[in-house]
Amino acid sequence: MNSEKIEIFDTTLRDGEQVPGCKLNTNQKLTIAEKLDELGVDIIEAGFPISSPGDFHSVSEISKLVKNARVCGLTRANEKDIEVAAEALKFAKRPRIHTGIGTSDSHIKYKFNSTREKIIERAIQAVKYAKTFVEDVEFYAEDAGRTDNDFLAQVCEEAIKAGATVLNIPDTTGYCLPEEYGQKIKYLKENVKGIDKAILSCHCHNDLGMATANSIAGVMNGARQIECTINGLGERAGNTALEEVVMVLKQHAHLKLHTHINSKMLNCMSVLVSDLMGMPVQPNKAIVGTNAFAHSSGIHQDGVIKNRETYEIIDPADVGVNNSSIVLTARSGRSALAYRFKHIGFDVTKNELDFLYEEFLKIADIKKEVNNDDLGLMIEVFNRKIG
Ligand code: KIV
Ligand code: ZN
């Protein structure tokens, strides 16, 4: 099989943890890092070491703990940040420094009051300096999504010459259309001298709900790393959701791209992060929402009971969910009701079902969801009536 590997760079503990209310202590971060390693991510971005003593400590402890994944620390393009990150990463088996600078005209003018030439110079200096500490240096061109492609190609070329092993092309503001982001990656693949010496990485934000689509467009056009978070947590509307890109690549094997993620752990990973961060997952969230494998309309339920594949493109077991669920609401039909009765031990005849269904609808019109207790009570009342 000539499928190519996509590296999964998890930034739950850095971009994800930046979210207001998602702050974690070191022990909680260690719990998540250990599980991410077991999940099979290739890189764990453990934090931004210069940002606080607590974050420095967490990156350092994670570096000691993680067995397989590379451990990465974020920096800005200056010597102090890089020195502190290198110190925090010194126990890591496979350390990576992630350094970079804004490259869009907006960032150059308003954030740095600088010029394109000076930004390139700072990028080169930062990569070269990071290389004096570690072999593996990832360079990010912040706001690459809104950066002119010619200039971006120039920056990337210089970063590679300075020794960058990975080039991160962030759509920092979540602005790009999938086609546009894919073309950006293709442009870099075709126009950056030495591009084969580095891996292109997608780091997409979800401001317009396109982070997953953009990341997939990126890898379809030559990127080989995706930066993502569990449950899509991250600044503002979040980052690309790890569980989504992993399952897109798994379900679309014809793309001939795969990851080393153990997808059966996705559901428990989502619950763990949500619990520790105190950040609930929306019920209709793709892959890990509580409704992702729940069916409530009669037409769908009838199909799923006959054959799960009529309305499910993913086997719930593949993401660690035990079963598809048949939820009883006023939109449910007879087959769903019979299925649920059977599930709790009552095999009802067609005539019994006709009667019970009328009763069921009365309850369902009052309640949002009819549960097993309600069903048990219905059977009791029914038996009393006929007995
Ligand atoms: O969104 C972004 O541009 C970032 C960089 C710091 C990599 O998170
Ligand atoms: Zn980001």
Side-chain angles (χ1 to χ4, degrees):
M1 192 171 73
N2 59 349
S3 171
E4 285 188 51
K5 185 183 172 203
I6 299 300
E7 303 263 307
I8 294 295
F9 175 116
D10 181 276
T11 182
T12 307
L13 298 176
R14 200 277 296 170
D15 222 326
E17 209 244 0
Q18 283 172 212
V19 175
C22 283
K23 174 104 188 54
L24 299 169
N25 62 37
T26 300
N27 280 340
Q28 292 169 323
K29 287 186 191 176
L30 287 168
T31 303
I32 292 177
E34 195 169 28
K35 278 281 168 209
L36 286 171
D37 204 22
E38 204 184 316
L39 178 71
V41 307
D42 299 282
I43 304 105
I44 296 173
E45 187 163 50
F48 181 11
I50 203 164
S51 65
S52 75
D55 217 34
F56 177 94
H57 180 63
S58 297
V59 175
S60 177
E61 292 304 305
I62 291 170
S63 297
K64 291 177 197 162
L65 177 80
V66 168
K67 294 190 181 73
N68 307 306
R70 295 177 189 277
V71 179
C72 175
L74 184 77
T75 82
R76 291 164 295 189
N78 67 60
E79 293 195 350
K80 187 74 194 148
D81 276 32
I82 293 168
E83 283 159 17
V84 172
E87 180 64 21
L89 291 166
K90 75 177 176 205
F91 299 108
K93 291 190 184 66
R94 305 163 78 203
R96 174 180 292 181
I97 291 179
H98 189 190
T99 189
I101 194 159
T103 53
S104 65
D105 288 339
S106 158
H107 280 220
I108 295 173
K109 182 170 172 199
Y110 299 114
K111 267 180 73 174
F112 303 114
N113 187 23
S114 189
T115 62
R116 286 184 169 185
E117 292 68 33
K118 286 185 187 148
I119 291 294
I120 290 197
E121 208 33 57
R122 278 188 67 179
I124 295 170
Q125 292 317 321
V127 174
K128 281 191 173 162
Y129 195 56
K131 280 300 259 197
T132 65
F133 297 98
V134 294
E135 171 48 36
D136 189 8
V137 175
E138 172 167 340
F139 173 77
Y140 65 85
E142 197 181 6
D143 205 14
R146 294 187 301 170
T147 299
D148 162 67
N149 282 352
D150 276 342
F151 179 59
L152 187 60
Q154 237 180 300
V155 177
C156 288
E157 203 163 303
E158 293 302 331
I160 292 172
K161 274 199 243 159
T165 43
V166 181
L167 297 170
N168 179 9
I169 311 301
D171 184 20
T172 305
T173 57
Y175 174 75
C176 288
L177 294 167
E179 159 124 29
E180 195 181 355
Y181 189 75
Q183 286 308 310
K184 194 174 276 287
I185 298 293
K186 187 165 189 271
Y187 184 87
L188 296 175
K189 280 294 271 182
E190 289 171 354
N191 292 282
V192 173
K193 256 196 242 121
I195 193 68
D196 293 337
K197 293 195 198 116
I199 289 178
L200 281 166
S201 180
C202 310
H203 178 113
C204 299
H205 279 266
N206 206 30
D207 300 66
L208 290 170
M210 294 191 290
T212 294
N214 283 346
S215 297
I216 296 298
V219 294
M220 285 172 72
N221 282 282
R224 287 293 172 266
Q225 178 177 287
I226 296 178
E227 308 198 1
C228 45
T229 59
I230 301 294
N231 299 335
L233 289 166
E235 283 277 354
R236 306 180 308 281
N239 286 61
T240 301
L242 181 148
E243 59 278 5
E244 293 177 11
V245 285
V246 165
M247 291 314 290
V248 171
L249 298 182
K250 194 171 162 83
Q251 298 309 112
H252 288 274
H254 63 95
L255 294 177
K256 295 199 180 333
L257 299 170
H258 66 276
T259 71
H260 282 183
I261 297 296
N262 172 4
S263 67
K264 291 190 166 47
M265 282 182 67
L266 289 173
N267 194 57
C268 74
M269 206 63 228
S270 162
V271 172
L272 175 74
V273 169
S274 167
D275 285 353
L276 289 180
M277 289 194 168
M279 189 55 82
V281 176
Q282 71 191 65
N284 58 324
K285 167 82 185 59
I287 318 295
V288 293
T290 47
N291 288 350
F293 300 98
H295 306 274
S296 68
S297 94
I299 297 172
H300 290 210
Q301 290 174 332
D302 184 51
V304 170
I305 290 167
K306 287 173 178 151
N307 185 327
R308 190 189 58 73
E309 286 180 16
T310 52
Y311 287 96
E312 279 181 359
I313 56 151
I314 297 171
D315 182 343
D318 280 354
V319 297
V321 173
N322 289 340
N323 283 310
S324 319
S325 52
I326 298 291
V327 183
L328 293 178
T329 70
R331 304 291 153 261
S332 300
R334 281 176 172 72
S335 58
L337 185 61
Y339 173 87
R340 285 283 299 272
F341 272 134
K342 195 168 178 177
H343 205 68
I344 59 167
F346 299 105
D347 240 334
V348 293
T349 64
K350 180 165 178 324
N351 282 350
E352 288 167 345
L353 184 63
D354 283 345
F355 176 84
L356 286 163
Y357 187 65
E358 294 311 313
E359 295 304 304
F360 160 75
L361 286 181
K362 286 181 204 157
I363 302 172
D365 265 338
I366 300 167
K367 292 188 76 180
K368 278 191 180 158
E369 193 182 322
V370 177
N371 59 33
N372 287 349
D373 288 348
D374 299 319
L375 296 182
L377 214 60
M378 280 170 65
I379 293 283
E380 233 179 274
V381 172
F382 177 75
N383 284 340
R384 250 186 270 137
K385 266 195 185 154
I386 59 161

